[in-house]
Amino acid sequence: MNSSHTDCHFCLQSLRGRKYALREENAYCVPCYDSLYANPCEECKQPIECSSKDLAYKGRHWHEGCFRCAKCSRSLVEKPFAAKDDVLLCTECYSDEYSSKCFHCQKTIMPGSRKMEFKGSSWHESCFVCQYCRQPLGTKPLITKDNENYCVPCFEKQFAHRCYACKKVITSGGVTYHDQPWHNECFVCAVCKTQLSGQRFISEDEYSYCVDCFSKFYAKKCAACKKPITALGGAKYISFEERQWHGECFNCAKCSVSLVGQEFLTRQDDILCHKCGSA
């Protein structure tokens, strides 16, 4: 005992043969020190006497035996822990209560472990892999199908369609015609190369044409009105001896009655109803 610390600084009683505590070079008997300076325990609210270990965290204090997980009551002394709304929890309880669940395996993503975020969901890094080749996706470009993630090469190999025209992969959008996939920019008029997606078009001999080009270069001409017969919208036309007519143009050359579905006679280049042809 230091000879200068013979009396308690507060109660002035002799410290000879007694335990005492020092604070700012002043000596106090244990009862005085505890009443003046002991921190109250956050858990039990009792003073943490100078003979007890004082565990502190962010300005709060606990007895060693009171420093426990608020949920499972396991001691947190020399153990990792987390705080939530001023409540202390062991890492297991914190994870069960607050940590993200892996979208793939549904297990908790433990604090401190690396997790991947994608479309509002979380994955363990080891779970965030291509569904086909099982290689980590990390920050690589990926494509999702039926809630499964694929790297771009595997998706193209397994699912992507190839354009009927250019044979390259169609990654998005596209057009299907005659059960064949096309890029929008590849599905064009065989003559003027105008894109046909969303437009009226006509196909013949495995080629597709915009209406203008087909009418100009390929459509048969009506024997009556001389305009192209395009058959758009399912319009009817009549063919006879290498000549064609629009349905509304196939009329008797003399009385103009419609001959669609009727018997008719021909005289030179004219077509006549039975009555006019017999006169």
Side-chain angles (χ1 to χ4, degrees):
M1 179 183 293
N2 191 313
S3 60
S4 64
H5 298 143
T6 58
D7 300 321
C8 173
H9 185 71
F10 185 73
C11 70
L12 304 180
Q13 293 187 19
S14 174
L15 297 176
R16 293 182 182 278
R18 300 172 63 189
K19 291 182 178 180
Y20 64 89
L22 291 174
R23 183 179 177 89
E24 296 177 354
E25 297 185 358
N26 295 317
Y28 298 84
C29 65
V30 171
C32 287
Y33 183 89
D34 289 342
S35 65
L36 291 172
Y37 301 114
N39 294 306
C41 175
E42 287 286 326
E43 178 65 21
C44 69
K45 310 306 179 186
Q46 298 301 311
I48 303 174
E49 300 170 340
C50 63
S51 59
S52 301
K53 185 178 286 188
D54 185 334
L55 300 179
Y57 175 71
K58 289 189 175 180
R60 298 187 293 158
H61 300 265
W62 288 263
H63 289 105
E64 186 176 14
C66 295
F67 196 59
R68 298 172 296 183
C69 173
K71 187 174 182 182
C72 70
S73 298
R74 284 185 290 185
S75 174
L76 298 177
V77 177
E78 297 183 359
K79 299 242 176 70
F81 64 90
K84 179 70 174 179
D85 300 329
D86 292 332
V87 175
L88 301 185
L89 298 167
C90 65
T91 53
E92 290 82 358
C93 290
Y94 182 87
S95 297
D96 290 342
E97 195 74 20
Y98 301 108
S99 291
S100 303
K101 298 291 191 298
C102 176
F103 184 84
H104 178 73
C105 69
Q106 295 302 308
K107 294 181 180 178
T108 299
I109 301 175
M110 299 297 288
S113 62
R114 189 175 181 187
K115 69 177 180 180
M116 309 302 296
E117 299 281 349
F118 180 64
K119 290 187 176 180
S121 298
S122 302
W123 278 262
H124 291 109
E125 186 178 21
S126 58
C127 292
F128 195 59
V129 298
C130 171
Q131 179 66 18
Y132 185 72
C133 70
R134 311 308 298 175
Q135 294 300 307
L137 290 170
T139 57
K140 298 176 184 176
L142 61 93
I143 300 173
T144 300
K145 177 179 174 63
D146 299 332
N147 289 330
E148 299 289 358
N149 299 319
Y150 299 85
C151 63
V152 173
C154 286
F155 182 85
E156 292 180 352
K157 181 178 180 180
Q158 292 295 109
F159 303 109
H161 297 293
R162 293 189 177 272
C163 176
Y164 183 77
C166 71
K167 310 305 178 186
K168 295 180 180 179
V169 170
I170 300 174
T171 56
S172 63
V175 178
T176 299
Y177 181 65
H178 283 181
D179 297 325
Q180 299 292 348
W182 307 68
H183 290 111
N184 285 328
E185 59 271 22
C186 293
F187 190 59
V188 297
C189 172
V191 176
C192 69
K193 307 305 179 184
T194 300
Q195 288 192 24
L196 299 177
S197 178
Q199 308 296 324
R200 299 170 72 190
F201 63 91
I202 300 169
S203 292
E204 186 169 289
D205 298 331
E206 298 185 359
Y207 292 98
S208 297
Y209 306 88
C210 65
V211 174
D212 289 342
C213 286
F214 184 84
S215 299
K216 182 177 180 180
F217 297 106
Y218 300 102
K220 301 180 185 304
K221 301 298 190 293
C222 176
C225 70
K226 309 305 180 185
K227 294 180 180 179
I229 300 174
T230 62
L232 283 173
K236 293 181 179 180
Y237 72 96
I238 291 86
S239 179
F240 177 70
E241 291 184 349
E242 299 184 357
R243 290 189 294 165
Q244 289 78 33
W245 291 260
H246 293 109
E248 62 272 20
C249 295
F250 193 58
N251 302 321
C252 174
K254 187 172 182 180
C255 69
S256 299
V257 66
S258 175
L259 298 178
V260 178
Q262 306 296 321
E263 292 183 356
F264 62 90
L265 301 173
T266 60
R267 181 180 298 162
Q268 298 180 345
D269 289 336
D270 293 333
I271 54 171
L272 304 167
C273 65
H274 194 273
K275 180 178 179 182
C276 293
S278 300

